[in-house]
Amino acid sequence: MQKELASCGDSAVATLQANAAGVETVGIEGTYHVECRDAEGNLKWTEDVPNLVNAVGKQLMLDTLLKGSSYSVTGPFLGLIGTTSPTFGTGSDTMTSHAGWTEFINYTVGGSAVRGTAVFGSATSTGSTPANITTSTASAITYTITGAGGNVTGCFLVTGSGASSTQSNTGGTLYSAGAFGTAKVTTAGDTVSVTYSTTATS
């Protein structure tokens, strides 16, 4: 806003008042990159899955960074979804309440029937506001399909207090979940490799 005052005669007085504010927004998104190979190592299918970051996941993120005095990460643990046509509650799903999907558990990780642990590297940034992109990527996790195999239709990530690598456990905070475009068939001996990356843009 500019305000100018002037008087007639031998003197003049001028004042300038300016208020400026920049508005910056931040968006959080992520992707599950999934590859399936048969027992001989032949590629069967691939899928890139944009994830839904749930409300409770966003709350955990902000409470951890802005409110908490100390925090040690639990997991995060990455599980697979097995419902033929999974649906998500517009970000309202939690680990104890997700009526639109169920966990796929016919697999082992490192020889044990557990969810994989996502190990994230340090975040990196490119560009500057309003085109800044900051990304953190986890190492790939390999799931060896066992038993009857079945359809794999998505992935989810759980972390926070109470989170567990135990399959079908409902503890912790459901950070994100994403569904494949179509159900993918797996059979015993297949390996499914999942890499998760999360990105903040501003």
Side-chain angles (χ1 to χ4, degrees):
M1 178 179 68
Q2 177 173 305
K3 181 178 181 181
E4 184 174 338
L5 300 175
S7 63
C8 297
D10 295 333
S11 63
V13 178
T15 64
L16 176 66
Q17 297 176 342
N19 294 316
V23 177
E24 182 175 334
T25 61
V26 177
I28 304 294
E29 58 186 19
T31 301
Y32 296 97
H33 176 72
V34 188
E35 296 184 358
C36 179
R37 297 182 181 273
D38 63 21
E40 285 71 45
N42 300 304
L43 184 66
K44 294 180 65 173
W45 49 263
T46 64
E47 190 83 11
D48 286 302
V49 187
N51 76 255
L52 173 69
V53 177
N54 292 282
V56 290
K58 296 172 186 175
Q59 291 166 9
L60 175 65
M61 184 189 312
L62 294 178
D63 286 346
T64 299
L65 293 175
L66 303 178
K67 180 182 177 182
S69 58
S70 64
Y71 179 74
S72 296
V73 67
T74 303
F77 302 110
L78 201 156
L80 305 179
I81 293 173
T83 307
T84 300
S85 299
T87 58
F88 305 99
T90 62
S92 61
D93 283 356
T94 67
M95 285 302 295
T96 57
S97 178
H98 48 82
W101 57 274
T102 57
E103 186 171 354
F104 177 88
I105 59 173
N106 290 340
Y107 66 80
T108 60
V109 175
S112 299
V114 294
R115 298 166 180 160
T117 301
V119 179
F120 285 87
S122 298
T124 59
S125 294
T126 60
S128 56
T129 301
N132 172 258
I133 300 174
T134 301
T135 301
S136 182
T137 302
S139 301
I141 303 169
T142 299
Y143 302 77
T144 301
I145 304 302
T146 61
N151 289 339
V152 176
T153 57
C155 306
F156 67 92
L157 193 73
V158 57
T159 187
S161 177
S164 172
S165 63
T166 302
Q167 294 174 338
S168 300
N169 183 277
T170 59
T173 298
L174 180 62
Y175 176 78
S176 75
F180 297 169
T182 58
K184 304 297 185 182
V185 177
T186 65
T187 57
D190 288 353
T191 56
V192 176
S193 174
V194 183
T195 303
Y196 180 71
S197 61
T198 186
T199 301
T201 58
S202 65

